Amino acid sequence: MFSLPPFSELKELVASRTAGDVLHALKSPHPDLSDLAALLSPAADGFLEQTAARSSEITMYRFGKTIQIYAPVYLSNFCTNQCLYCGFSAGNRIDRRKLSLEEAESEAMILHNRGFNHILLVSGDAPKAMGVDYFEALALRLRERFASVSIEVQPLETDEYARLFAAGITGVAVYQETYEQKTYKEIHLSGKKRDYEYRIDIPARAAEAGMREVGIGVLLGLSDWRADALALGFHLAWLRKRFWKTAFTVSFPRLRPAEGDFTSSMDVSERNLAQMLFAMRIFDQDVGLILSTREESRFRDGMIGLGPTRYSAGSCTAPGGYGNPDLTGEQFSIGDHRLMAEVCSDIKNRGFDPVCKDWDMTFQLH
Amino acid sequence: MRIVCNGEEREVDRDIRVAELIRTLELDPALVVVECDGDIVIRDEFESHTLKEGSVVELFRFVGGG
Amino acid sequence: MLSIAGRKFASRLFAGTGKFSSSAVMIKAIEASGAEMVTVALRRVDLNDPSDDIMSVLDREKYFFLPNTSGARDADEAVRLARLARAVGGGDWLKLEVTPDPRTLLPDPVETLKAAEVLVKEGFTVLPYINADPVLALRLQDAGAAAVMPLGSPIGTNQGLLTIHQLEIIIEQARVPVVVDAGLGAPSHAALAMEIGADAVLVNTAIAVAQDPVKMAAAFAKGVLAGREAFEAGLGSHRTEASASSPETGLDFLR
């Protein structure tokens, strides 16, 4: 069971880091959690150039001049949780829809025809509307057509993850949103997601089930971002020690405008987000860092080569939205509206290779 | 009767017990382990375990090592 | 304090008891090393000279015996030696070593893993001696090893940490304690192992064959302590410049 030091201590740790600590962290061959705290601290803001340079150097060394490309496929926006920040929140009056297996397959095939080989299946948390049987059936339909299919759906049991892995799902993303328990309770009003402790063990469960890749993350704008990013570092380090065969990714989605009009009191700037990405890269050289279409094209283009390794492109967050762009009921409104081809050509123009196909699940025997 | 003890043939009394063999060899029973015909004889059985004609006995103990 | 399989050790120096010129010198050297954990080997009793027994010269109240399986060339032999060691009263702890190549005495990874799987099931507390192979270390950890004992360089060579980069990876990844074993020829080697974060070191030859083994044992004790304290104090990096002088990355796009 993963347990975190009290959030107040994490805040304290970050706040007390000095410029000297930042320089130490930048030079450390094996940065630890206290170095991560330094890199996330206010003191590190003055060293953003050096931090970016170090992050870039490591990213080049570990990942080369490549950016992986993926897109989400939204399957259902039914949800039994009430979460203040989310467009799918149970109380919201939005156009609710779930795709049949045929519809989901055809959405995925639209992406396939646009050149996508890595997709992420997304749904709200409503097991009665969409459960593990559905995901399994869909995975079996898609596995021959895509190099990898990942899921970001409701938390499942270990044996269910194992079932999906056998059916061809290779990655699971499940974000804690915030590691501050008090805030967590305040924004997750009802539903299974309200159980903080339950959720925090899900990434370990997915790794235990044999998933090749597990993604963790925090939703920026809910709590103190510095402490939340540090908590994420604790979680990542803990997972790494236990599941050495699993690859991990980290995502720092910033809150986007969504149905429900939740407004954050915690503003997180692009500069802050950049600092977080650099810090996480320096802390963990091999972690995949995801930058989604929540961010604007200017920011995403600027960050190429500095730390992030995976971009979504041409995303639509409403179920069925690729086949029918007029549909509403999206989870949030995106910030980068470019088509996949445009994103790729902008990546190429910066001297990087947009990788649409990384590995191939055909190689997987078990 | 004859037994093989630590690779050497040795003449011993018929139906000799492990404990007696250890005494004959002037060893401390608390410090040795005995293997008889491939099976470990635990210390509690030294008094009761009898050897047979042709038994292959190995006696081990700790020595210095890294 | 160092803890292996729930047992605490005040000293992070483990001492080997082989290769000494006499028992008397060995006892004094072990005493001077401050070691609590000492390794011993299992051998056939020499019926022509039955007197020399390590258990009669080293106080078992004072020292924790870690029997090894030296001499084993494959998993089956190691398992046999382990069972014998337990029967002689060596307890359930075991330094598992499988060394089929008599020239280098390098450990066999495949047989070591096989033996570890069997011995863990039989209730042994297994500390396998391995080459500095990070994936093997993790596989052994998964198999239930209580610690891993990667080598710094081939046993008896006094060459120090030839495997330092691999050791660093093992130390970074392992959840179980890492005891650097073999090849540590000088207190500075032991100190370096501790500086990079090893939990303990095992030294034998360098102490046993020194001109003054007692003095060398004390020197190793100091080396281990210095290295550990430096690790805890947080060493600075010897990286050449942290890219601070590299060209501007250009963060003007940030809003």
Side-chain angles (χ1 to χ4, degrees):
Chain A
M1 294 287 259
F2 170 64
S3 73
L4 195 65
F7 202 76
S8 56
E9 275 178 30
L10 299 183
K11 280 185 176 175
E12 186 74 19
L13 188 62
V14 171
S16 62
R17 300 297 95 182
T18 64
D21 296 328
V22 178
L23 286 172
H24 179 272
L26 283 171
K27 290 187 175 182
S28 170
H30 303 287
D32 59 16
L33 286 159
S34 132
D35 292 317
L36 176 61
L39 295 169
L40 291 166
S41 71
D45 186 71
F47 297 92
L48 200 61
E49 273 289 343
Q50 288 97 314
T51 312
R54 180 80 186 110
S55 170
S56 172
E57 181 187 51
I58 296 168
T59 307
M60 289 305 108
Y61 179 64
R62 305 300 296 182
F63 294 87
K65 297 197 132 194
T66 63
I67 296 284
Q68 297 161 7
I69 302 291
Y70 77 99
V73 180
Y74 277 73
L75 303 173
S76 160
N77 56 11
F78 285 95
C79 196
T80 55
N81 297 318
Q82 251 188 306
C83 313
L84 290 178
Y85 52 84
C86 182
F88 292 172
S89 184
N92 288 351
R93 299 175 68 87
I94 56 165
D95 184 12
R96 302 278 174 183
R97 193 178 320 109
K98 81 167 212 184
L99 305 185
S100 66
L101 285 170
E102 288 68 30
E103 288 169 331
E105 189 178 353
S106 99
E107 280 283 287
M109 288 314 291
I110 292 172
L111 292 177
H112 187 269
N113 295 334
R114 288 176 190 173
F116 287 98
N117 240 308
H118 297 285
I119 54 171
L120 174 68
L121 306 177
V122 186
S123 82
D125 181 350
K128 280 184 187 154
M130 194 163 277
V132 69
D133 293 338
Y134 177 99
F135 300 129
E136 185 180 41
L138 184 56
L140 290 169
R141 285 175 181 231
L142 299 178
R143 69 178 302 169
E144 297 302 324
R145 309 228 177 93
F146 290 90
S148 83
V149 182
S150 302
I151 52 169
E152 185 175 350
V153 302
Q154 68 268 24
L156 301 171
E157 300 300 321
T158 309
D159 58 336
E160 293 175 321
Y161 283 125
R163 247 176 85 190
L164 293 182
F165 182 71
I169 301 290
T170 54
V172 172
V174 55
Y175 302 159
Q176 191 65 22
E177 318 297 7
T178 176
Y179 286 86
E180 185 179 32
Q181 298 209 34
K182 182 171 160 288
T183 304
Y184 190 94
K185 289 276 180 203
E186 285 166 7
I187 53 179
H188 298 105
L189 301 181
S190 67
K192 204 168 182 183
K193 193 164 177 177
R194 192 169 160 75
D195 189 344
Y196 174 98
E197 300 291 346
Y198 174 76
R199 192 172 182 84
I200 210 163
D201 279 322
I202 303 302
R205 207 174 282 181
E208 176 101 59
M211 287 292 167
R212 299 181 75 98
E213 186 177 284
V214 171
I216 56 175
V218 287
L219 185 56
L220 301 173
L222 300 179
S223 179
D224 181 324
W225 65 264
R226 297 179 201 274
D228 254 338
L230 179 58
L232 205 50
F234 272 85
H235 203 173
L236 178 61
W238 184 89
L239 287 165
R240 277 230 189 276
K241 282 273 173 185
R242 271 147 198 87
F243 305 102
W244 57 277
K245 290 179 188 166
T246 309
F248 291 96
T249 64
V250 160
S251 186
F252 293 107
R254 284 199 300 167
L255 213 47
R256 294 286 308 168
E259 183 71 27
D261 292 329
F262 174 72
T263 47
S264 164
S265 52
M266 304 276 191
D267 212 24
V268 182
S269 68
E270 285 184 357
R271 196 178 165 87
N272 299 150
L273 175 56
Q275 184 181 340
M276 256 175 278
L277 288 161
F278 301 154
M280 197 55 77
R281 165 62 62 236
I282 295 170
F283 172 65
D284 187 319
Q285 307 204 339
D286 305 302
V287 73
L289 292 175
I290 296 170
L291 200 54
S292 79
T293 55
R294 284 172 185 262
E295 300 302 331
E296 292 175 26
S297 56
R298 168 189 41 77
F299 180 76
R300 298 217 303 162
D301 281 352
M303 289 298 286
I304 291 169
L306 299 185
T309 51
R310 187 177 303 175
Y311 282 29
S312 54
S315 304
C316 175
T317 72
Y322 294 117
N324 184 356
D326 297 329
L327 285 178
T328 60
E330 71 266 22
Q331 189 185 24
F332 56 86
S333 65
I334 62 174
D336 181 344
H337 298 273
R338 289 174 297 175
L339 299 173
M340 185 252 213
E342 295 173 72
V343 173
C344 287
S345 82
D346 288 346
I347 289 171
K348 280 183 193 146
N349 288 340
R350 287 177 177 261
F352 279 71
D353 183 18
V355 177
C356 295
K357 178 166 173 163
D358 187 12
W359 76 289
D360 207 308
M361 68 165 100
T362 311
F363 298 143
Q364 186 171 307
L365 298 177
H366 306 291
Chain B
M1 68 175 194
R2 295 186 80 78
I3 61 166
V4 179
C5 183
N6 281 14
E8 287 174 22
E9 286 208 2
R10 185 174 282 266
E11 187 68 38
V12 293
D13 295 342
R14 178 154 298 278
D15 295 335
I16 188 174
R17 294 190 169 84
V18 169
E20 281 176 67
L21 176 69
I22 291 171
R23 268 194 296 278
T24 313
L25 296 169
E26 296 174 14
L27 298 172
D28 180 349
L31 300 180
V32 295
V33 61
V34 178
E35 203 185 55
C36 185
D37 297 323
D39 293 322
I40 293 170
V41 181
I42 61 169
R43 193 158 291 133
D44 291 350
E45 291 171 2
F46 283 1
E47 287 295 344
S48 59
H49 194 105
T50 55
L51 302 177
K52 292 185 288 289
E53 175 74 34
S55 283
V56 178
V57 179
E58 295 280 353
L59 296 147
F60 299 93
R61 63 160 168 207
F62 285 137
V63 299
Chain C
M1 196 187 277
L2 173 61
S3 170
I4 301 178
R7 192 189 169 96
K8 302 261 191 293
F9 296 91
S11 170
R12 292 174 182 272
L13 174 57
F14 300 167
T17 56
K19 296 188 186 171
F20 283 90
S21 58
S22 72
S23 294
V25 172
M26 187 264 286
I27 291 165
K28 279 191 195 144
I30 302 288
E31 174 88 43
S33 74
E36 294 165 82
M37 173 107 90
V38 299
T39 54
V40 294
L42 195 68
R43 288 291 175 269
R44 251 185 182 175
V45 177
D46 179 358
L47 296 176
N48 300 316
D49 178 21
S51 63
D52 196 28
D53 188 298
I54 194 155
M55 280 168 88
S56 55
V57 296
L58 269 184
D59 183 0
R60 293 204 71 181
E61 298 292 308
K62 198 166 157 191
Y63 299 107
F64 186 77
F65 277 30
L66 181 66
N68 66 31
T69 59
S70 68
R73 288 161 303 164
D74 61 26
D76 291 342
E77 291 184 359
V79 169
R80 176 183 180 221
L81 279 162
R83 290 173 183 157
L84 287 168
R86 175 148 71 182
V88 80
D92 291 331
W93 286 54
L94 193 72
K95 179 186 163 190
L96 172 63
E97 47 180 286
V98 185
T99 54
D101 176 357
R103 192 174 58 89
T104 62
L105 292 176
L106 287 170
D108 181 329
V110 178
E111 296 296 316
T112 303
L113 181 57
K114 269 197 229 166
E117 283 166 350
V118 172
L119 293 169
V120 166
K121 284 201 187 84
E122 293 188 9
F124 284 93
T125 298
V126 180
L127 291 75
Y129 167 60
I130 56 171
N131 210 317
D133 179 338
V135 173
L136 177 63
L138 293 168
R139 290 290 302 267
L140 284 160
Q141 172 182 294
D142 290 353
V148 288
M149 305 183 71
L151 55 81
S153 48
I155 191 161
T157 62
N158 286 355
Q159 291 185 92
L161 302 190
L162 296 184
T163 58
I164 186 164
H165 300 297
Q166 303 287 94
L167 289 172
E168 283 176 330
I169 297 172
I170 294 174
I171 290 164
E172 187 188 329
Q173 293 187 322
R175 255 184 305 147
V176 294
V178 177
V179 183
V180 175
D181 184 3
L184 305 180
S188 59
H189 299 157
L192 180 57
M194 299 308 294
E195 283 170 15
I196 64 169
D199 295 280
V201 296
L202 171 59
V203 182
N204 190 348
T205 308
I207 293 174
V209 305
Q211 277 188 6
D212 183 343
V214 178
K215 203 161 197 172
M216 187 59 87
F220 265 98
K222 289 172 194 150
V224 168
L225 207 59
R228 179 63 192 182
E229 286 182 1
F231 172 73
E232 286 172 0
L235 282 163
S237 156
H238 41 82
R239 259 179 65 84
T240 55
E241 273 316 285
S243 319
S245 55
S246 61
E248 296 274 298
T249 41
L251 298 176
D252 306 337
F253 65 89
L254 292 177
R255 268 186 207 154

